[in-house]
Amino acid sequence: MGYDANGDMQNFLVTGATDGRLVFWDITRHVADYRKLSAELLPETPVDTGPPAAIIDNVHQSGVNSVDVQVIEDSKIMVASGGDDNSLAICELGRGITTSELTIRDPIRRLSNAHASSIQQVVFTGFNTVCSVATDQRITRWTITRNDSNDCASTSDSNGIEMKDMAFTQVADPSAMIILPKPPHSENTSVLVVGIGVEMFDL
Protein backbone atom coordinates (compact mmCIF):
# COMPACT_ATOMS: atom_id res chain seq x y z
CA MET A 1 0.00 0.00 0.00
CA GLY A 2 1.13 3.58 -0.56
CA TYR A 3 -0.23 6.78 0.87
CA ASP A 4 0.71 10.44 1.18
CA ALA A 5 1.54 11.17 4.82
CA ASN A 6 1.78 14.93 5.25
CA GLY A 7 3.30 15.38 1.83
CA ASP A 8 5.67 12.39 2.03
CA MET A 9 4.71 9.36 -0.06
CA GLN A 10 5.17 6.22 2.01
CA ASN A 11 4.88 2.57 1.01
CA PHE A 12 4.10 -0.21 3.45
CA LEU A 13 3.84 -3.96 3.04
CA VAL A 14 1.18 -5.65 5.18
CA THR A 15 1.59 -9.32 6.09
CA GLY A 16 -0.55 -11.76 8.06
CA ALA A 17 0.20 -15.32 9.12
CA THR A 18 -1.15 -18.21 11.18
CA ASP A 19 -0.34 -16.38 14.43
CA GLY A 20 -3.27 -13.99 13.85
CA ARG A 21 -1.04 -10.89 13.78
CA LEU A 22 -0.85 -8.11 11.23
CA VAL A 23 2.66 -6.78 10.60
CA PHE A 24 3.45 -3.59 8.67
CA TRP A 25 6.81 -3.09 6.94
CA ASP A 26 8.14 0.22 5.63
CA ILE A 27 9.33 -0.49 2.08
CA THR A 28 9.43 3.14 0.90
CA ARG A 29 13.19 3.06 0.25
CA HIS A 30 12.99 -0.21 -1.68
CA VAL A 31 10.16 1.06 -3.88
CA ALA A 32 12.24 4.15 -4.67
CA ASP A 33 15.22 1.94 -5.54
CA TYR A 34 13.03 -0.22 -7.77
CA ARG A 35 11.76 2.82 -9.67
CA LYS A 36 15.31 4.01 -10.25
CA LEU A 37 16.31 0.61 -11.59
CA SER A 38 13.08 -0.17 -13.43
CA ALA A 39 14.85 -0.08 -16.78
CA GLU A 40 17.50 -2.52 -15.59
CA LEU A 41 17.43 -6.14 -14.52
CA LEU A 42 16.94 -6.15 -10.76
CA PRO A 43 19.06 -8.62 -8.78
CA GLU A 44 17.10 -11.42 -7.14
CA THR A 45 18.49 -10.81 -3.67
CA PRO A 46 16.66 -10.38 -0.35
CA VAL A 47 16.25 -6.85 0.94
CA ASP A 48 16.50 -5.71 4.52
CA THR A 49 13.21 -4.08 5.50
CA GLY A 50 14.44 -3.32 9.01
CA PRO A 51 12.18 -3.66 12.05
CA PRO A 52 8.40 -3.64 11.52
CA ALA A 53 6.71 -0.24 11.39
CA ALA A 54 3.83 -1.70 13.44
CA ILE A 55 2.63 -5.02 14.84
CA ILE A 56 -0.98 -5.65 15.85
CA ASP A 57 -1.37 -8.76 17.99
CA ASN A 58 -4.48 -10.93 18.34
CA VAL A 59 -6.31 -9.52 15.34
CA HIS A 60 -7.50 -13.07 14.65
CA GLN A 61 -7.44 -16.23 16.74
CA SER A 62 -5.63 -18.14 14.02
CA GLY A 63 -4.70 -17.65 10.38
CA VAL A 64 -5.12 -14.34 8.54
CA ASN A 65 -6.41 -15.15 5.06
CA SER A 66 -6.94 -11.73 3.51
CA VAL A 67 -6.02 -8.08 4.08
CA ASP A 68 -7.13 -4.94 2.26
CA VAL A 69 -6.21 -1.30 2.87
CA GLN A 70 -8.04 1.96 2.23
CA VAL A 71 -6.57 5.45 2.57
CA ILE A 72 -9.12 7.52 4.50
CA GLU A 73 -7.06 10.66 5.11
CA ASP A 74 -3.61 11.95 4.18
CA SER A 75 -2.18 10.50 7.37
CA LYS A 76 -4.61 7.67 8.14
CA ILE A 77 -5.34 4.25 6.67
CA MET A 78 -8.08 1.72 7.38
CA VAL A 79 -7.20 -1.97 7.33
CA ALA A 80 -9.73 -4.80 6.93
CA SER A 81 -8.84 -8.45 7.46
CA GLY A 82 -10.58 -11.81 7.44
CA GLY A 83 -9.38 -15.05 8.95
CA ASP A 84 -9.87 -18.72 9.72
CA ASP A 85 -11.76 -17.72 12.88
CA ASN A 86 -14.69 -16.55 10.68
CA SER A 87 -14.24 -12.99 11.93
CA LEU A 88 -13.90 -9.65 10.18
CA ALA A 89 -11.55 -7.13 11.79
CA ILE A 90 -11.13 -3.40 11.16
CA CYS A 91 -8.38 -1.13 12.45
CA GLU A 92 -7.10 2.36 11.69
CA LEU A 93 -3.48 3.41 11.67
CA GLY A 94 -1.72 6.70 11.15
CA ARG A 95 1.72 8.15 10.85
CA GLY A 96 3.77 8.15 14.02
CA ILE A 97 6.62 10.28 15.22
CA THR A 98 8.95 9.07 12.47
CA THR A 99 8.18 8.45 8.80
CA SER A 100 8.76 4.72 9.26
CA GLU A 101 6.38 4.36 12.19
CA LEU A 102 2.67 3.59 12.21
CA THR A 103 0.46 3.93 15.27
CA ILE A 104 -3.00 2.55 15.98
CA ARG A 105 -5.47 5.44 15.92
CA ASP A 106 -8.66 3.63 16.83
CA PRO A 107 -9.59 0.55 18.87
CA ILE A 108 -9.59 -2.64 16.83
CA ARG A 109 -13.12 -3.61 15.85
CA ARG A 110 -13.85 -7.28 15.35
CA LEU A 111 -17.06 -8.96 14.23
CA SER A 112 -16.87 -12.55 15.44
CA ASN A 113 -18.65 -15.12 13.29
CA ALA A 114 -19.18 -12.63 10.49
CA HIS A 115 -19.46 -15.79 8.39
CA ALA A 116 -20.28 -19.40 9.19
CA SER A 117 -16.85 -20.50 7.95
CA SER A 118 -13.42 -19.07 7.24
CA ILE A 119 -13.28 -15.76 5.39
CA GLN A 120 -11.24 -16.09 2.21
CA GLN A 121 -11.20 -12.53 0.87
CA VAL A 122 -12.00 -8.98 1.98
CA VAL A 123 -12.02 -5.96 -0.36
CA PHE A 124 -13.01 -2.35 0.12
CA THR A 125 -15.79 -1.50 -2.32
CA GLY A 126 -16.25 2.12 -1.30
CA PHE A 127 -15.48 4.60 1.43
CA ASN A 128 -15.99 2.83 4.78
CA THR A 129 -17.55 -0.13 2.95
CA VAL A 130 -15.98 -3.57 2.79
CA CYS A 131 -17.11 -6.80 1.13
CA SER A 132 -16.21 -10.29 2.34
CA VAL A 133 -16.57 -13.79 0.91
CA ALA A 134 -16.16 -17.07 2.78
CA THR A 135 -16.34 -20.79 2.20
CA ASP A 136 -19.97 -20.62 3.41
CA GLN A 137 -20.63 -19.21 -0.10
CA ARG A 138 -21.92 -15.92 1.25
CA ILE A 139 -20.89 -12.51 -0.09
CA THR A 140 -21.54 -9.84 2.51
CA ARG A 141 -21.17 -6.09 2.32
CA TRP A 142 -20.45 -4.25 5.56
CA THR A 143 -20.55 -0.59 6.54
CA ILE A 144 -18.00 0.72 9.00
CA THR A 145 -18.72 3.51 11.45
CA ARG A 146 -15.57 5.43 12.22
CA ASN A 147 -14.62 6.45 15.74
CA ASP A 148 -12.70 9.65 16.45
CA SER A 149 -11.12 8.09 19.53
CA ASN A 150 -7.33 7.95 19.66
CA ASP A 151 -7.25 5.22 22.30
CA CYS A 152 -4.69 2.46 22.19
CA ALA A 153 -5.49 -0.88 20.58
CA SER A 154 -8.30 -2.85 22.15
CA THR A 155 -11.05 -5.10 20.92
CA SER A 156 -14.81 -4.68 20.98
CA ASP A 157 -17.00 -7.38 19.48
CA SER A 158 -19.01 -6.11 16.45
CA ASN A 159 -18.36 -2.46 17.38
CA GLY A 160 -18.98 -0.22 14.39
CA ILE A 161 -19.42 -3.01 11.79
CA GLU A 162 -22.92 -3.55 10.40
CA MET A 163 -24.22 -5.74 7.59
CA LYS A 164 -25.50 -3.75 4.62
CA ASP A 165 -26.57 -6.61 2.36
CA MET A 166 -25.77 -10.23 1.59
CA ALA A 167 -26.02 -12.70 -1.29
CA PHE A 168 -25.19 -16.34 -1.91
CA THR A 169 -22.81 -17.42 -4.64
CA GLN A 170 -23.11 -20.60 -6.66
CA VAL A 171 -19.32 -20.86 -6.78
CA ALA A 172 -18.15 -23.78 -4.67
CA ASP A 173 -15.17 -23.23 -2.38
CA PRO A 174 -14.81 -19.50 -3.15
CA SER A 175 -11.20 -18.51 -2.64
CA ALA A 176 -10.81 -15.03 -4.14
CA MET A 177 -12.76 -11.91 -5.01
CA ILE A 178 -11.77 -8.82 -6.99
CA ILE A 179 -13.41 -5.52 -7.88
CA LEU A 180 -13.93 -5.04 -11.61
CA PRO A 181 -13.30 -1.67 -13.27
CA LYS A 182 -16.48 0.39 -13.21
CA PRO A 183 -17.87 1.17 -16.70
CA PRO A 184 -18.40 4.84 -17.57
CA HIS A 185 -21.62 6.33 -16.15
CA SER A 186 -22.29 3.19 -14.08
CA GLU A 187 -23.44 3.54 -10.49
CA ASN A 188 -22.86 -0.12 -9.61
CA THR A 189 -19.71 -1.77 -8.34
CA SER A 190 -19.09 -5.24 -9.77
CA VAL A 191 -17.15 -7.95 -7.98
CA LEU A 192 -15.91 -11.23 -9.39
CA VAL A 193 -15.92 -14.30 -7.14
CA VAL A 194 -13.54 -17.12 -8.04
CA GLY A 195 -13.34 -20.67 -6.73
CA ILE A 196 -14.56 -23.85 -8.38
CA GLY A 197 -16.21 -21.63 -10.96
CA VAL A 198 -16.63 -17.89 -11.49
CA GLU A 199 -19.56 -15.57 -10.76
CA MET A 200 -20.04 -11.81 -11.05
CA PHE A 201 -22.16 -9.66 -8.75
CA ASP A 202 -23.32 -6.04 -9.06
CA LEU A 203 -23.40 -4.23 -5.74
Coordinates of all heavy atoms in Angstrom, one line a residue, residues 7 23 29 66 91 110 129-130 138 141 149 172 175 180 188:
G7 N 2.5 15.0 2.9 CA 3.3 15.4 1.8 C 4.4 14.4 1.5 O 5.1 14.6 0.5
V23 N 1.4 -7.4 10.5 CA 2.7 -6.8 10.6 C 2.8 -5.8 9.4 O 2.6 -6.2 8.3 CB 3.8 -7.8 10.6 CG1 5.1 -7.1 10.8 CG2 3.6 -8.8 11.8
R29 N 11.9 3.0 0.9 CA 13.2 3.1 0.3 C 13.4 2.0 -0.9 O 13.9 2.3 -1.9 CB 14.3 2.9 1.3 CG 15.7 2.9 0.8 CD 16.7 2.9 1.9 NE 16.5 1.7 2.8 CZ 17.1 0.5 2.6 NH1 17.8 0.3 1.5 NH2 16.9 -0.5 3.4
S66 N -6.8 -12.8 4.5 CA -6.9 -11.7 3.5 C -6.8 -10.4 4.2 O -7.3 -10.2 5.4 CB -8.3 -11.8 2.8 OG -8.4 -10.7 1.9
C91 N -9.2 -2.0 11.6 CA -8.4 -1.1 12.4 C -7.9 0.1 11.6 O -7.8 0.0 10.4 CB -7.2 -1.9 13.1 SG -6.1 -2.6 11.9
R110 N -13.8 -5.9 15.9 CA -13.9 -7.3 15.4 C -15.3 -7.8 15.4 O -16.0 -7.7 16.4 CB -13.0 -8.2 16.2 CG -13.0 -9.7 15.7 CD -12.2 -10.6 16.5 NE -10.8 -10.2 16.6 CZ -10.2 -9.8 17.8 NH1 -10.9 -9.7 18.9 NH2 -8.9 -9.5 17.8
T129 N -16.7 1.0 3.3 CA -17.6 -0.1 3.0 C -16.6 -1.3 2.5 O -15.7 -1.1 1.7 CB -18.5 0.2 1.8 OG1 -19.3 1.3 2.2 CG2 -19.4 -1.0 1.5
V130 N -16.8 -2.4 3.1 CA -16.0 -3.6 2.8 C -16.8 -4.8 2.5 O -17.9 -4.9 3.0 CB -15.0 -3.9 4.0 CG1 -15.8 -4.4 5.2 CG2 -14.0 -4.9 3.5
R138 N -21.2 -17.2 1.1 CA -21.9 -15.9 1.2 C -21.0 -14.8 0.9 O -19.8 -14.7 1.3 CB -22.4 -15.7 2.7 CG -23.6 -16.6 3.1 CD -24.2 -16.2 4.4 NE -23.2 -16.2 5.5 CZ -23.3 -15.6 6.6 NH1 -24.4 -14.9 6.9 NH2 -22.4 -15.7 7.5
R141 N -21.7 -7.5 2.3 CA -21.2 -6.1 2.3 C -21.4 -5.4 3.7 O -22.5 -5.5 4.2 CB -21.8 -5.3 1.2 CG -21.2 -3.9 1.0 CD -21.5 -3.3 -0.3 NE -22.9 -3.3 -0.6 CZ -23.5 -2.6 -1.6 NH1 -22.8 -1.8 -2.3 NH2 -24.8 -2.7 -1.8
S149 N -12.0 8.4 18.4 CA -11.1 8.1 19.5 C -9.7 7.8 19.1 O -9.4 7.2 18.1 CB -11.7 6.9 20.3 OG -10.7 6.5 21.3
A172 N -18.6 -22.9 -5.8 CA -18.2 -23.8 -4.7 C -16.7 -23.4 -4.2 O -15.9 -23.1 -5.1 CB -18.2 -25.3 -5.1
S175 N -12.5 -18.7 -3.2 CA -11.2 -18.5 -2.6 C -10.7 -17.1 -2.9 O -9.7 -16.7 -2.3 CB -10.2 -19.5 -3.2 OG -10.2 -19.5 -4.6
L180 N -14.1 -5.3 -10.2 CA -13.9 -5.0 -11.6 C -14.0 -3.5 -11.9 O -14.6 -2.8 -11.2 CB -15.0 -5.7 -12.4 CG -15.1 -7.3 -12.3 CD1 -16.3 -7.8 -13.1 CD2 -13.8 -7.9 -12.7
N188 N -23.1 1.1 -10.3 CA -22.9 -0.1 -9.6 C -21.4 -0.5 -9.6 O -20.6 -0.2 -10.4 CB -23.6 -1.3 -10.3 CG -25.1 -1.1 -10.2 OD1 -25.6 -0.5 -9.2 ND2 -25.8 -1.6 -11.2

